[in-house]
Amino acid sequence: MITMIVLLIMSVEDLLTMKVHNFLQVVLLIVTLWNNVPSISQIIISISIYIGYIIYEQKTKVKIGGADIKIVCILLLAGISNVIYMLFWASLTGLLYALVTNKHKIPFVPFIWIGYTIVNI
């Protein structure tokens, strides 16, 4: 429940500014670690994805929402199968939103929140 509230606050900030402060990401990390003890494999996968993102960003000079990647990596620490379903719903709702509004750049954290909420209700 606390995770949903933190994600909701992050969603509002992302909607308003297209950014999410690092402080909120640290709060999400603390809440996630408080509620779950990640396995070594979850930690390795999460760190590997984040390092892969950093390498991709450095090589291509393309910015694709660093907060989105960090949030997904943090949520991976809570369980991999839930994150896969969450990303499915987040991507589906984000795609539908982008098609309906005809926007090319959208804040993705609100859709992560929607996906997380769908999967955890």
Side-chain angles (χ1 to χ4, degrees):
M1 184 65 162
I2 296 172
T3 303
M4 271 189 234
I5 294 169
V6 174
L7 283 171
L8 177 60
I9 293 167
M10 296 169 103
S11 297
V12 171
E13 183 177 22
D14 198 25
L15 278 170
L16 296 175
T17 65
M18 293 290 284
K19 293 181 182 178
V20 178
H21 282 88
N22 287 331
F23 171 77
L24 290 172
Q25 295 171 46
V26 170
V27 169
L28 181 64
L29 177 62
I30 291 168
V31 168
T32 301
L33 293 176
W34 183 267
N35 292 327
N36 304 290
V37 177
S39 67
I40 296 297
S41 62
Q42 289 171 317
I43 294 170
I44 290 170
I45 291 168
S46 182
I47 291 172
S48 298
I49 290 171
Y50 187 67
I51 290 172
Y53 162 72
I54 291 172
I55 292 169
Y56 172 79
E57 189 178 71
Q58 294 299 317
K59 291 208 179 252
T60 63
K61 305 294 184 202
V62 175
K63 302 257 181 189
I64 54 167
D68 305 329
I69 302 296
K70 288 186 258 182
I71 290 167
V72 170
C73 288
I74 291 169
L75 293 175
L76 275 169
L77 297 174
I80 293 171
S81 63
N82 286 342
V83 173
I84 291 170
Y85 294 122
M86 179 205 67
L87 282 174
F88 168 77
W89 287 110
S91 299
L92 181 65
T93 55
L95 178 63
L96 291 173
Y97 175 80
L99 290 172
V100 168
T101 61
N102 202 28
K103 290 186 178 182
H104 297 282
K105 186 175 181 181
I106 61 170
F108 194 60
V109 177
F111 302 106
I112 292 174
W113 174 74
I114 290 169
Y116 185 87
T117 303
I118 290 170
V119 168
N120 289 292
I121 286 186

